[in-house]
């Protein structure tokens, strides 16, 4: 028996051994760590038999019933079922055949000890389903229960380490389709409704239980001997035809790769997925029933390389979760990052064969480093692994650190252990904890046995602490008796927090010799000392640090290195642009106007779409956020002309569209905005510029802001044009945010204080983006304080990414002294504010703070 299993068994016995002399955990909101441990030690063999009667109208209640069976190791304790909704929704309760008066306290349904038996117990409940996580829309609904929101729909043990099986029955309108975690077993129909009975599911965590039902088109394909079904609501038949084959192929390729890598066949009964117009995330890994945002998979005509890569990565990510997260699940949501790091790490490898012409090292750097740095550079940086006392705060665990820094860490770990031993360790991890739960230390213990490195010490810095190292080059001169002084450079790694931490890692350095302009590349592995590496053999006039994109931190960079742009490999170009951007934000001798000048030269010559997107993104950020109004006016005309002319010059439609989108965003001059208007209205057609309905909707939004005199007719005309009913509903929702009338915009923001008006979160974020458009910041700064005051409620009622995204869109474009003061005053006036939410505020406000400082310096 493995030592990890012995330790886990000992802990379980220790906890269980104390149950007889302990009281039940206190009843408090959420799912506390204390309650979760108590129930895990006491409860096993859980099954939920669920029936939901779903009417076609989203305004009508969903009547439901369930039978819960579970085994108790020891009687004599009240047992808490989790149910966050009102007690009025609970209609009846039976425990082991006895009718019981309903006791609901602090978000829990209490099962009295005297009615429970040692051994098997049965609980029957009639109720009306709570709807806050059922995502009901006209014509369809979908469940989204991560991390602890299943308890908003029905009573259950809502914690990840009490895995259960589910027997689901749905009563739905006869025209609807549905999928869930298990295969469909039986269907019965009448004239107006049908009943779907699904087979018993595999053993899964509560947050992974799911179903999708509604007016969807079902498409089934068999690819490589594997049958899959996709649900979608897209009305553009040409768009469906362009994308559908590739969507199925990418899923099949991901499944095949993962089976080979893990040595484990696909572990669940079936594999389906649904494409949902209003979905909050890119995707969610429900066992056998993945949910995706429809626009992430159904791409418009002439997609860019970035869009194609993002789709492939998303599919690979969600498919990887079937093994990493679904088969083996974290024990507690403080380790939620483990499933995400594996999914992103695997996705970066899985999609490589589908894009043989792509520099995948470059793609990895661009997908992970900028996002991770956007948090780790801030005052609110959080470690990869965090402490969590209650699942009602688990949503705050999510963010760029677990999705983007963790894969960088994992790649460094693979370099340290070696690819084959690393794969061997992951296979052991999956087989050891299959259909169970595990922690990060469980994996580190397995890998630690395969290397001489002290991985626990390595993990302590990389995983358990926040922030990034800073690197610098120091000149050294050693006096040698009787000889010339030895002169050399040293690359120094320092800890900006002053904690003397060292992040052991591999870093690549590319050098240009001052003598003959020759180029060399060196890989350096940290020896764990502050003086990270001696560069005496690498003395050069110019260097690119982190030239292979594997390192992590703030690296030295200067603009003069760009004169060697044409000699750099793509990954070095990308890494250098990121280094320049980070040094610009740190005000390390890289100034926005100077960097902008260099970027304008790059976008005229660079052919790699990934690098082009990065450079154009930096241009937009500098233009809107870091330049003063005077500086923006100075560059505006030349920048507009350059982007328009580059757009016209492109021969590839996808690149032409990339330039057009940046031009559309940047354009401010009357004659340039008129060009966008003419394209939107159909008066001007650009050969090779293929635009979809979503593009015209975006143009209408931009034009409504930039041409307030025409906002009303533009909005009305666009609304009449939209053919897809889901996109029409979205545009109707954001319409007040586009209005030229400030009072209408104010009323719209005020309406967001009502939870009901925030339920379609992606629409809310789009609307807020227009309220806080850079051209409107003088009118929208008054929304900053109420947006901060709503944050606690947003965290309670919204899905996992919504609090941070809410903050990003409400704060991101502001940089005035008054805006900065508002944020600081709010934090000062709330010294006991929730720590996790305070970190989110500091993360979201980081660009505001830096832009304010940079503009002050410029003035």
């Amino acid at each position: 028996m493995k030592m990890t299993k012995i330790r886990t068994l000992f802990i379980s016995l220790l906890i269980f051994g104390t149950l007889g002399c302990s009281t039940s955990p206190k009843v408090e909101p959420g799912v506390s760590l204390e309650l979760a441990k108590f129930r895990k030690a006491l409860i096993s063999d859980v099954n939920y038999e669920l029936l939901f009667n779903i009417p076609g109208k989203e305004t009508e209640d969903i009547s439901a019933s369930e039978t819960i069976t579970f085994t108790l190791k020891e009687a004599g304790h009240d047992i808490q079922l989790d149910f966050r909704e009102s007690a009025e929704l609970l209609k009846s309760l039976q425990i082991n055949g006895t009718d019981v008066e309903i006791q609901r306290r602090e978000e829990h349904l209490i099962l009295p000890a005297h009615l429970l038996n040692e051994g098997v117990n049965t609980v029957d409940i009639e109720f009306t389903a709570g709807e806050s996580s059922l995502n009901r829309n006209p014509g369809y609904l979908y469940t989204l229960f991560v991390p602890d929101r299943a308890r908003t729909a029905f009573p259950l043990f809502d914690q990840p380490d009490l895995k259960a099986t589910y027997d689901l029955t749905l009563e739905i309108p006869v025209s609807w389709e549905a999928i869930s975690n298990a295969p469909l077993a039986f269907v019965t129909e009448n004239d107006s409704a049908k009943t779907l009975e699904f087979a018993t599911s595999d053993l899964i965590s509560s947050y992974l239980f799911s179903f999708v039902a509604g007016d969807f088109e079902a498409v089934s394909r068999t690819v490589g001997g594997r049958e899959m079904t996709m649900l979608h609501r897209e009305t553009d038949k040409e768009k469906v035809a362009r994308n559908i084959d590739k969507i199925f192929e990418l899923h099949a390729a991901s499944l095949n790769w993962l089976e080979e890598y893990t040595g484990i066949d696909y572990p669940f009964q079936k594999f389906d997925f649904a494409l949902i117009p209003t979905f909050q995330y890119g995707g969610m890994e429900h066992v056998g029933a993945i949910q995706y945002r429809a626009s992430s998979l159904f791409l418009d005509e002439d997609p860019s390389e970035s869009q194609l890569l993002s789709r492939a990565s998303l599919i690979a990510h969600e498919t990887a979760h079937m093994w990493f997260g679904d088969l083996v699940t974290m024990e507690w949501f403080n380790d939620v990052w483990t499933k995400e790091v594996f999914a992103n790490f695997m996705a970066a490898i899985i999609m490589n064969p589908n894009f043989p012409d792509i520099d995948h090292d470059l793609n990895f750097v661009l997908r992970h480093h900028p996002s991770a740095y956007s948090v780790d550079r801030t005052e609110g940086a959080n470690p990869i692994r965090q402490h969590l006392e209650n699942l009602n705060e688990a949503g705050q665990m999510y963010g760029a650190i677990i999705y983007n820094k963790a894969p960088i860490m994992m790649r460094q770990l693979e370099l340290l252990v070696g690819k084959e031993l690393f794969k061997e360790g992951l296979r052991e991890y999956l087989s050891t904890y299959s259909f169970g739960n595990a922690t990060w230390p469980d994996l580190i213990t397995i890998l630690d046995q395969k290397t001489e490195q002290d991985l626990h010490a390595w993990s302590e810095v990389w995983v358990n602490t926040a922030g990034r190292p800073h690197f610098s080059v120091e000149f050294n001169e050693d006096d040698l008796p009787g000889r010339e002084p030895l002169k050399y450079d040293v690359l120094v790694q320092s800890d900006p927090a002053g904690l003397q931490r060292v992040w052991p890692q591999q870093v690549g350095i590319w050098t240009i010799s001052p003598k003959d302009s020759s180029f060399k590349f060196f890989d350096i592995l940290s020896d764990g000392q502050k003086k990270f590496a001696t560069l005496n053999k690498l003395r050069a006039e110019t260097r690119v640090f982190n030239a292979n994109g594997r390192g992590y931190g703030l690296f030295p960079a200067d603009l003069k290195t760009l004169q060697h742009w044409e000699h750099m490999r793509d990954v070095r170009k990308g890494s250098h642009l990121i280094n320049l951007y980070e040094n610009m934000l740190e005000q390390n001798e890289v100034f926005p106007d100077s960097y902008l000048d260099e970027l304008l030269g790059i976008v005229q010559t660079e052919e790699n779409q990934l690098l082009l997107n990065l450079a154009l993104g930096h241009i937009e950020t500098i233009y809107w956020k870091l330049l003063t109004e005077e500086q923006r006016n100075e560059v505006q005309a030349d920048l507009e002309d350059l982007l328009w002319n580059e757009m016209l010059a492109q021969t590839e439609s996808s690149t032409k569209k990339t330039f057009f989108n940046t031009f559309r965003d940047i354009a401010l001059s009357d004659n340039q905005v008129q060009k966008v208007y003419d394209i939107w209205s159909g008066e001007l057609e650009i050969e090779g510029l293929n635009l979809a309905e979503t593009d015209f909707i975006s143009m209408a939004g931009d034009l409504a802001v930039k041409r307030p005199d025409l906002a009303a007719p533009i909005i009305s005309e666009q609304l009449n044009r939209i053919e897809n009913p889901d996109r029409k509903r979205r545009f109707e929702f954001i319409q007040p945010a586009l209005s030229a009338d400030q009072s209408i915009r104010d009323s719209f923001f005020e309406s967001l204080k009502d939870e009901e008006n925030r339920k379609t979160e992606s629409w809310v974020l789009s609307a807020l983006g227009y309220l806080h458009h850079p051209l409107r910041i003088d009118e929208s700064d008054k929304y900053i304080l109420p947006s901060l005051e709503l944050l606690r409620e947003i965290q309670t009622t919204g899905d996992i990414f919504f609090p941070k995204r809410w903050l990003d869109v409400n704060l991101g474009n502001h940089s005035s002294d008054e805006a900065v003061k508002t944020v600081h005053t709010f934090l000062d006036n709330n010294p006991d504010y929730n720590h996790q939410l305070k970190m989110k505020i500091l993360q979201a406000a980081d660009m505001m703070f830096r832009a304010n400082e940079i503009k002050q310096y410029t003035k």
Side-chain angles (χ1 to χ4, degrees), residues 145-195:
F145 292 152
V146 62
D148 67 329
R149 293 172 67 84
R151 63 194 180 97
T152 68
F154 61 96
L156 77 164
F157 303 115
D158 202 3
Q159 61 189 73
D161 60 346
L162 274 181
K163 289 192 170 183
T165 55
Y166 292 79
D167 290 278
L168 174 66
T169 299
L170 297 178
E171 295 177 353
I172 59 176
V174 70
S175 62
W176 282 21
E177 300 284 348
I179 60 171
S180 187
N181 306 103
L184 187 59
F186 302 102
V187 181
T188 56
E189 293 187 13
N190 58 38
D191 291 340
S192 61
K194 61 184 175 184
T195 300

Side-chain angles (χ1 to χ4, degrees), residues 736 741-752 783:
D741 188 330
Q742 179 69 48
S743 65
I744 293 176
R745 300 202 301 271
D746 290 346
S747 296
F748 175 78
F749 182 85
E750 189 69 21
S751 75
L752 297 180
Y783 304 143

Side-chain angles (χ1 to χ4, degrees), residues 18 60 67 189 213 281 393 447 528 539 579 594 685 738 754:
T18 65
E60 297 179 9
T67 297
E189 293 187 13
Y281 322 147
E393 294 189 344
L447 293 175
R539 293 205 68 229
N579 291 343
S594 301
E685 291 188 9
L738 298 174
D754 183 345

